[in-house]
């Protein structure tokens, strides 16, 4: 089922934070492995910061928020410790952060649809170089991104988003020039 992706509004924040909570609950129950820490990352303030920067996006299906992410040109400082395959100009790199899909909505292709939107958005903004990251233990995300053509550029040991001892998998993809 196709969903609508749009910029988030203040009224969406509770639903976005609710999805974070559902994912953390699944992790607590041993049904997911994100490496996130309740009360540290992600939190309502994670969503509020993204909304204030005007780069929080939500996915809506049947009038309900089913996913969210942040899309911008901000490469986290940890990316400097990764050996990327392409030395991309900073102004041509688009980054996907904190992609979430409501666990109750999994299996509907929403994650794939959000990544396709990210690619389309990057192309429209003149950014052929895509970057993102995930925790090394998040095998589900790593598998999905690989299936969608992202390469793992490297793993960076770091203190990330307030969480110690994170092994951050840096991922990249270069969009093909459709006019070539």
């Amino acid at each position: 089922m196709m969903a609508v992706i749009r910029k988030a509004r203040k009224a969406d924040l509770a639903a976005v934070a609710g999805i974070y909570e559902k994912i953390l609950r699944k992790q607590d129950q041993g049904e997911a492995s994100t490496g996130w820490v309740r009360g540290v990352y992600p939190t309502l303030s994670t969503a509020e910061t993204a909304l204030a920067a005007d780069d929080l996006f939500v996915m809506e299906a049947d009038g309900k928020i089913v996913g969210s992410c942040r899309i911008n040109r901000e490469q986290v400082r940890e990316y400097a410790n990764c050996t990327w395959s392409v030395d991309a100009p900073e102004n041509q790199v688009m980054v996907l952060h904190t992609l979430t899909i409501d666990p109750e909505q999994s299996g509907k292709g929403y994650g794939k649809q959000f990544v396709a939107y990210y690619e389309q958005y990057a192309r429209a903004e003149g950014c052929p170089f895509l970057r993102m990251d995930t925790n090394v233990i998040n095998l589900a995300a790593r598998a999905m991104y690989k299936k969608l053509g992202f390469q793992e550029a490297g793993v960076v040991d770091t203190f990330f988003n307030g969480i110690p001892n994170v092994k951050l998998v840096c991922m990249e993809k270069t969009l093909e020039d459709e006019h070539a």
Side-chain angles (χ1 to χ4, degrees):
M1 169 185 185
M2 290 298 285
V4 174
I5 299 170
R6 60 172 171 77
K7 288 268 184 114
R9 300 184 284 260
K10 188 170 184 164
D12 300 324
L13 289 174
V16 171
I19 292 171
Y20 298 162
E21 178 58 33
K22 288 178 186 180
I23 293 168
L24 287 161
R25 198 172 315 124
K26 283 194 89 57
Q27 183 171 268
D28 291 346
Q29 296 165 350
E31 299 170 12
S33 189
T34 61
W36 292 349
V37 175
R38 183 182 310 286
V40 178
Y41 180 86
T43 63
L44 174 59
S45 104
T46 305
E48 289 170 337
T49 298
L51 181 71
D54 196 34
D55 56 19
L56 180 64
F57 293 80
V58 293
M59 176 179 278
E60 193 172 354
D62 296 324
K64 183 178 178 195
I65 302 299
V66 297
S68 70
C69 73
R70 190 171 190 186
I71 303 173
N72 59 34
R73 287 183 167 93
E74 293 175 27
Q75 298 183 69
V76 295
R77 70 175 189 276
E78 289 80 6
Y79 286 10
N81 299 323
C82 182
T83 305
W84 300 97
S85 69
V86 177
D87 187 20
E90 279 196 40
N91 67 337
Q92 293 182 22
V93 176
M94 192 65 69
V95 185
L96 177 73
H97 309 269
T98 321
L99 172 63
T100 65
I101 301 297
D102 184 331
E104 295 169 10
Q105 303 294 323
S106 66
K108 295 182 179 179
Y110 290 150
K112 182 179 177 181
Q113 187 182 339
F114 229 139
V115 173
Y117 178 86
Y118 159 54
E119 292 181 15
Q120 169 195 347
Y121 182 85
R123 195 175 265 118
E125 295 290 319
C127 295
F129 305 103
L130 306 180
R131 292 186 177 167
M132 65 173 74
D133 59 76
T134 192
N135 194 306
V136 74
I137 65 173
N138 193 340
L139 301 178
R142 291 172 70 187
M144 180 184 79
Y145 296 139
K146 183 176 182 177
K147 200 183 278 187
L148 297 176
F150 286 81
Q151 304 297 316
E152 293 189 0
V155 177
V156 176
D157 291 313
T158 188
F159 182 90
F160 193 66
N161 289 324
I163 304 169
N165 305 314
V166 172
K167 291 188 181 307
L168 195 66
V169 179
C170 297
M171 307 184 85
E172 64 184 339
K173 180 176 181 177
T174 300
L175 298 173
E176 298 299 319
D177 184 359
E178 296 165 340
H179 308 293

